[in-house]
Amino acid sequence: MTYYVDINSTDDGNGSKEKPFNRIQKAADVALPGDEVIVTPGIYREAVNPKNGGTEEKRIVYKSSQPLGAHITGAEEVKNWTKLEGDVYTARVSNKIFGDYNPYKTLVSGDWFIAYMIAHTGDVFLNGKSMYEVQSLEQVKSPEVFIPSWDQEFTKHVWFSSQDEQTDETVFYANFQGKNPDNETVEITVRRTCFYPEKEGNGYITLSGFTVSKAATQWAPPTAYQEGMIGPHWSKGWIIEDCEVFESKCSGISLGKYLQPNNDNKWLKWKYKDGTQTERDCICQAQLEGWTKEKIGSHIVRRCNIHDCGQTGIVGHLGGVFSLIENNHIHHINNKQNLAGAEIGGIKMHAAIDCIYRKNHIHHCTRGIWLDWQAQGTRVTQNLFHDNVLPKEYNQNKESMGGCAEDLFIEVSHGPTLIDNNIFLSDKSVKLATQGVALVHNIIAGGFVSVGKGVNNGSPTRVSPRYTPYHVPHRTEIAGFMTILHGDCKIFNNIFIQQPIRPALKQGMDECLATKNEWDDGNIIAGTFVYDNYPDFEEWKSQFEGYCGMGSVTTDRYYSELPVWAKGNVYFNGAKPMKKEKDAVVDNEHKIEICCEERDGKIYLKTNALDYLPAFNCDLMHTDNIMMAFEPEEKYENPDGTAITFDRDFFDNKRGSSPVSGPFTDKDCLKNPLF
């Protein structure tokens, strides 16, 4: 059956084409497997709670009749502002509008959130753009530029709220910088979500072509119930496609964790167990409570434009397993820098088991993709990353260095994590506080960061390794736990390019090295040289020769760094190969330039690197040519267990039997837009 929704319809609509519902929720109350809900353009100020799920054979489809025309928002307009003084106005809103969740009484909080300032889950928006919360009316009257922001020009647009308990109202004060709010569109966040089932297990739903914005989402660490403006809420088989998703307080789309009441932000609330231990507890509890391939995950997020969210564009833990994230444009995440903590990125996923991140354009985020724990069977392929670091033209100061990050961060995972045919253009390309990674046919124009670092809990006087689970291949069941030994990396057929070194980042690197920072070395020097002190396979294997594995003789061999493989790589502009890389081609003669440029709304890669690629033949790589990931004993293969031949480039062009290094078959490819 097909139901129709039109915001301009009357309240007594029956969902027919002739007499449509006037709210999406009315259709969501009755839609059953196989039904379709068609929504006409308009602004739908509601939190849609799909009451039913579909099936694998019969999905429930919600579709905007005009691409991006139907707009679901968690915000309400506020009018009748009163001028207080200068550019400062005030307005009062009855708390009845919020129901049982008032975003202006609710602080952003949770495990790994750094509460350096008071931040509420609500926001005030001027013409669709969130303003900056401050801590007092005096700061509204005399606003200052917020230096850490990536958009400093807007930071004097500030607001503050208080509660009038006698009248049960929220009182807003805002500095609109010369604008009269009654002549503009001013909104406040009212609802916690936009399209999100209250009940777990409502799977096989498609959300297609909607604009979704402005919800008062809470901080979403892996040890808590993770919410987003959109999310499947612990179910299977959702498709979120062709949507624009923006201005979530914390996360835009959540593929994340369900509520475990006994272990929800337990580190913050109980404090006696470290967050890492409560994280392990969450994983084991989930397995006992039904976290399986048959019930959870296998979602698709495709062709979405996700931007201007405070914490993440896409977040997930456990619930996002076996998912496909492809052809999305993810940008300007956490640019306000008003939220801080260890859960921020364009995409932040824990336990991305057999997830594929393909053909996404990710830029101007404080971190591009962060794969934290259990990136087992994960593949990052054919993506473009750039400008995922400190802004280049301003804001280069010590106060903002906390916003300095990387294109891709893989943390405390045993792999196998496959990184192939990507373009990494930020100053820091890949943070590798991990093991079990294969990098094949990429352009890498930034540093490998934190190699050999960042896997302990940071206890100052005691050993504090982060033991991390690994799983039965292509399943969720836990096979074992082990700490991270580092290494076990395979680096084949890549192009490394050293970019000009920016002073602020050079200062940050020097400070990390001088203080022997346990978490970060700040490296911005391109190349594999960071693995100079790691053994090759023969050296590592020799530790075990003649040893029968029995008896109680103490030994370091089971806790030493794992081997590293490298071949077929090319190094330009002073990028440095590792000493044991026998066939490295180092070209310091030619000056290589590389950048993205926009022409006619398309993104092109501008570089002369392909003009100077050597004539030697790389090996055509195949799953069987790459040593399996050590701890899970799993190959670099497809989620269905079949082998991969790396015979397709960034554009899906066919490689021959003797390919060149990097993600392109030839330089003519660059005539085509990347996105």
Side-chain angles (χ1 to χ4, degrees):
M1 186 168 182
T2 300
Y3 294 101
Y4 294 88
V5 181
D6 187 339
I7 189 67
N8 298 308
S9 182
T10 58
D11 196 47
D12 61 349
N14 60 15
S16 66
K17 192 170 186 178
E18 296 73 25
K19 201 171 183 181
F21 292 131
N22 64 356
R23 294 176 64 242
I24 303 171
Q25 185 60 54
K26 291 183 178 181
D29 286 340
V30 297
L32 296 171
D35 289 346
E36 186 174 38
V37 177
I38 305 297
V39 185
T40 61
I43 299 177
Y44 294 83
R45 299 186 184 276
E46 54 181 308
V48 181
N49 168 28
K51 293 293 179 67
N52 303 303
T55 67
E56 190 170 4
E57 296 77 22
K58 293 183 177 181
R59 310 182 64 80
I60 299 179
V61 177
Y62 295 79
K63 186 175 183 179
S64 173
S65 64
Q66 176 183 310
L68 305 181
H71 183 173
I72 307 172
T73 179
E76 294 284 347
E77 278 196 86
V78 175
K79 296 186 179 295
N80 300 317
W81 290 82
T82 301
K83 190 169 185 175
L84 194 64
E85 62 177 68
D87 295 329
V88 179
Y89 290 75
T90 185
R92 288 174 168 264
V93 174
S94 170
N95 286 337
K96 293 178 181 178
I97 194 174
F98 303 118
D100 59 0
Y101 178 79
N102 186 335
Y104 306 94
K105 291 183 178 180
T106 308
L107 296 180
V108 177
S109 66
D111 290 350
W112 290 282
F113 176 68
I114 300 173
Y116 71 93
M117 61 175 282
I118 293 173
H120 290 89
T121 58
D123 256 322
V124 177
F125 303 89
L126 175 62
N127 298 325
K129 187 172 182 177
S130 61
M131 299 169 66
Y132 286 71
E133 183 178 10
V134 292
Q135 312 301 299
S136 68
L137 176 56
E138 286 306 310
Q139 288 176 290
V140 176
K141 293 178 178 179
S142 302
E144 298 180 354
V145 170
F146 184 53
I147 292 175
S149 172
W150 290 29
D151 183 13
Q152 292 180 350
E153 291 183 5
F154 196 71
T155 60
K156 286 190 174 183
H157 293 78
V158 296
W159 65 272
F160 169 72
S161 69
S162 63
Q163 295 297 316
D164 187 329
E165 302 295 343
Q166 282 191 323
T167 62
D168 193 27
E169 293 176 316
T170 298
V171 185
F172 292 93
Y173 305 91
N175 191 319
F176 294 103
Q177 292 295 306
K179 289 185 168 61
N180 183 337
D182 288 332
N183 297 332
E184 312 294 331
T185 300
V186 179
E187 298 167 289
I188 61 169
T189 324
V190 170
R191 289 167 287 276
R192 191 166 185 162
T193 61
C194 292
F195 191 92
Y196 197 95
E198 292 180 6
K199 186 175 69 174
E200 296 173 15
N202 283 347
Y204 299 104
I205 290 174
T206 295
L207 184 72
S208 183
F210 287 82
T211 298
V212 181
S213 74
K214 309 185 193 79
T217 52
Q218 183 57 279
W219 184 254
T223 50
Y225 167 58
Q226 292 181 313
E227 62 189 26
M229 292 198 296
I230 305 169
H233 193 186
W234 203 245
S235 66
K236 185 174 181 179
W238 275 45
I239 297 174
I240 303 165
E241 63 183 12
D242 300 307
C243 293
E244 182 176 9
V245 180
F246 65 96
E247 284 288 9
S248 173
K249 183 67 177 197
C250 289
S251 295
I253 297 172
S254 172
L255 307 179
K257 183 178 163 293
Y258 69 111
L259 177 63
Q260 295 175 336
N262 63 308
N263 197 7
D264 191 63
N265 285 315
K266 189 172 183 176
W267 187 28
L268 175 70
K269 298 172 182 175
W270 198 55
K271 304 183 188 302
Y272 302 116
K273 278 187 178 179
D274 187 89
T276 294
Q277 184 61 27
T278 63
E279 161 74 347
R280 283 187 285 263
D281 291 348
C282 284
I283 296 164
C284 293
Q285 180 176 337
Q287 182 167 307
L288 291 170
E289 293 179 344
W291 178 47
T292 66
K293 187 174 186 177
E294 289 71 31
K295 295 180 179 179
I296 302 298
S298 297
H299 307 297
I300 298 173
V301 181
R302 61 191 176 199
R303 300 186 303 272
C304 291
N305 179 12
I306 306 169
H307 60 94
D308 292 289
C309 298
Q311 180 191 339
T312 65
I314 302 174
V315 74
H317 180 213
L318 305 174
V321 290
F322 315 112
S323 292
L324 173 62
I325 315 295
E326 67 174 351
N327 289 299
N328 299 290
H329 186 194
I330 302 174
H331 56 105
H332 296 92
I333 301 297
N334 191 235
N335 284 187
K336 289 176 71 174
Q337 291 280 286
N338 61 326
L339 302 181
E343 305 302 328
I344 287 170
I347 300 173
K348 175 64 193 287
M349 291 280 283
H350 284 74
I353 298 170
D354 279 1
C355 288
I356 298 175
Y357 303 87
R358 180 170 65 200
K359 296 186 177 181
N360 301 289
H361 180 196
I362 302 177
H363 63 97
H364 290 93
C365 303
T366 50
R367 176 169 284 125
I369 297 178
W370 187 351
L371 302 175
D372 202 350
W373 293 50
Q374 305 145 274
Q376 183 170 330
T378 309
R379 187 176 186 183
V380 179
T381 182
Q382 298 172 304
N383 302 282
L384 170 64
F385 299 85
H386 62 91
D387 294 290
N388 296 307
V389 72
L390 210 61
K392 291 191 174 183
E393 301 303 326
Y394 62 90
N395 206 13
Q396 297 188 28
N397 55 76
K398 189 173 181 180
E399 186 172 347
S400 296
M401 291 304 291
C404 197
E406 314 82 27
D407 285 332
L408 174 63
F409 182 11
I410 310 166
E411 185 175 11
V412 291
S413 174
H414 300 287
T417 309
L418 176 58
I419 315 298
D420 69 285
N421 290 295
N422 300 283
I423 303 168
F424 296 104
L425 298 184
S426 297
D427 304 75
K428 301 177 182 181
S429 289
V430 188
K431 192 169 186 177
L432 289 162
T434 193
Q435 66 186 51
V437 177
L439 295 113
V440 184
H441 280 294
N442 303 284
I443 285 179
I444 301 169
F448 285 164
V449 186
S450 295
V451 169
K453 290 179 174 287
V455 302
N456 295 321
N457 261 348
S459 177
T461 62
R462 294 182 181 271
V463 177
S464 56
R466 284 193 282 174
Y467 283 88
T468 310
Y470 53 96
H471 300 262
V472 175
H474 312 300
R475 300 285 306 174
T476 60
E477 288 82 2
I478 296 169
F481 285 82
M482 183 56 184
T483 188
I484 303 300
L485 301 177
H486 301 288
D488 193 23
C489 289
K490 300 90 180 177
I491 309 169
F492 301 137
N493 300 356
N494 302 284
I495 299 173
F496 291 88
I497 302 171
Q498 180 64 55
Q499 299 188 83
I501 295 175
R502 294 161 54 201
L505 299 185
K506 174 64 163 61
Q507 178 186 349
M509 181 176 70
D510 291 344
E511 289 177 357
C512 284
L513 294 174
T515 58
K516 297 182 179 180
N517 188 315
E518 185 177 343
W519 298 97
D520 194 348
D521 56 16
N523 180 50
I524 52 173
I525 309 301
T528 55
F529 71 97
V530 290
Y531 288 106
D532 272 350
N533 296 323
Y534 284 71
D536 61 27
F537 181 70
E538 294 301 322
E539 290 173 323
W540 177 77
K541 186 176 71 169
S542 68
Q543 299 176 86
F544 303 91
E545 292 175 356
Y547 178 66
C548 64
M550 298 171 61
S552 58
V553 178
T554 57
T555 177
D556 288 334
R557 60 174 63 86
Y558 297 113
Y559 302 95
S560 63
E561 291 86 353
L562 297 167
V564 175
W565 293 256
K567 66 177 181 179
N569 301 303
V570 180
Y571 300 80
F572 290 114
N573 289 1
K576 301 176 183 179
M578 59 188 290
K579 293 175 182 176
K580 295 170 184 174
E581 188 173 352
K582 296 176 182 178
D583 69 348
V585 173
V586 180
D587 183 342
N588 289 323
E589 177 184 355
H590 303 100
K591 180 176 174 56
I592 301 302
E593 297 178 349
I594 188 165
C595 66
C596 288
E597 60 180 16
E598 184 174 345
R599 302 198 301 267
D600 300 323
K602 301 288 186 180
I603 303 296
Y604 292 81
L605 184 67
K606 182 179 180 182
T607 184
N608 59 341
L610 276 62
D611 294 332
Y612 303 110
L613 287 180
F616 80 97
N617 296 332
C618 294
D619 293 332
L620 181 63
M621 301 305 296
H622 183 276
T623 290
D624 292 340
N625 304 132
I626 305 174
M627 179 67 75
M628 66 183 179
F630 171 74
E631 205 66 62
E633 301 178 25
E634 181 179 341
K635 294 181 178 180
Y636 294 84
E637 60 191 10
N638 289 309
D640 63 1
T642 59
I644 299 171
T645 300
F646 295 88
D647 60 354
R648 297 286 172 175
D649 74 354
F650 182 93
F651 292 109
D652 283 324
N653 294 323
K654 188 80 159 59
R655 286 192 173 97
S657 58
S658 300
V660 295
S661 302
F664 305 113
T665 53
D666 56 62
K667 64 181 180 181
D668 287 340
C669 291
L670 298 186
K671 296 176 183 177
N672 300 314
L674 304 178
F675 288 94

